[in-house]
Amino acid sequence: MARKAGLGWIEWARGWLSIISEFLFQRIVASHVENPLPVPPMDGATCVVTGATSGIGLEIARQLAESGAHVVMAVRRPKLAHDLIQKWQSEKGDLGILLNIEVMELDLLSLESVVKFAEAFNARQAPLHAIINNAGIFSIGEPQKFSKDGYEEHMQVNHLAPALLSMLLVPSLLRGSPSRVINVNSVMHFVGFVDSEDMNLTSGKTKYCSMLGYSNSKLAQVKFSSMLHKRIPPEAGISVVCSSPGIVHTNVARDLPKIIVAAYHLIPYFIFNAQEGSRSTLFTASDPQVPEYCQVLKGDEWPTCAYLNYDCRPTNASEEAHNLETTQQVWDKTLELIGLPGDALEKLIAGEEVACRYQPKKASIDD
């Protein structure tokens, strides 16, 4: 059987129809969802939120903390995060509310940074109830860029680094069971295709553009999440979910050309603000029925993980996301790229140590 080389034109057309429909009708479809979304009490829950200093991540972190959760802001710029905490606390101080938020440094453009973060968190021997992989980039119009690890930046920040983080935090997620791995995704995955032999888009088979880099990385995220969902045994109590925020005006578009940014401001009716965009992820992190839904999908051997749309309702991921053959290929290749053995998940669930290629080298006695 020939290896699939890309989306068929019908899949591609359906994908763009999904994107255009979401843009035009998301506000109508989600009109029943309150803004801000009421979040139930989260006292006793610990949540790690990446990209928590701007946009959707900022709203997620703030609202979870205000609901009583212990929030860990995993960010590139710790000072900015501390300034935000001080601001939020001063706003709530008059009400006698003490927010339980802390900051840990994490740079998704460095897989070594991801390993350091996970090691530091796991060393606490504390439960983790949700890892919310929110941080992402979409550098429209920019030339192809690579991380210091050698990977295309969209693929690393939006897929590889969150995949490594989720895997390495499994010991803490087990301690927090029932717990959740939540990946903030995008409707753009509908026009993505992941060639596991060319995830860096350097073979020349497909001409690189930033939209291709972004959509492919978001599809890779869905596929890896689906295999993670499938391979985690039910008794582990870890639910894996993708959430789609809708089309949102946030700093993920900070690299857009100025004319497109201006257009964003001219059409505010169609585009969600960050608070509106945070609702589906907050729902995914807090609603008690989400783990039950994930177990139903697992029992039915559904080919993808749970995918919750911007209206806080379950929806289907793309047709290509349901392709089991390419999903297995993406899983295997992702583990290889992030430096984990093929049986890493099974070992982590069994409580065994797993070596990662990106672990920081320990200084020798001579050093």
Side-chain angles (χ1 to χ4, degrees), residues 23 26-27 54-56 59 245-254 256-258 260-268 270-277:
F23 174 78
Q26 66 176 8
R27 193 167 289 284
S54 65
I56 296 169
E59 289 295 332
I247 297 174
V248 185
H249 184 228
T250 73
N251 278 357
V252 80
R254 57 183 169 265
L256 295 176
K258 290 181 180 178
I260 298 179
V261 173
Y264 264 53
H265 292 292
L266 292 174
I267 45 179
F270 296 101
I271 295 179
F272 286 164
N273 60 37
Q275 188 176 77
E276 291 169 320

Side-chain angles (χ1 to χ4, degrees), residues 63 74 81 125 129 131 142 211 263 276-277 281-282 300 318 328:
Q63 291 182 64
Q125 297 291 307
H129 301 93
I131 165 64
E142 294 291 313
M211 186 170 291
E276 291 169 320
T281 303
L282 287 167
D300 290 346
S318 71
Q328 181 67 55

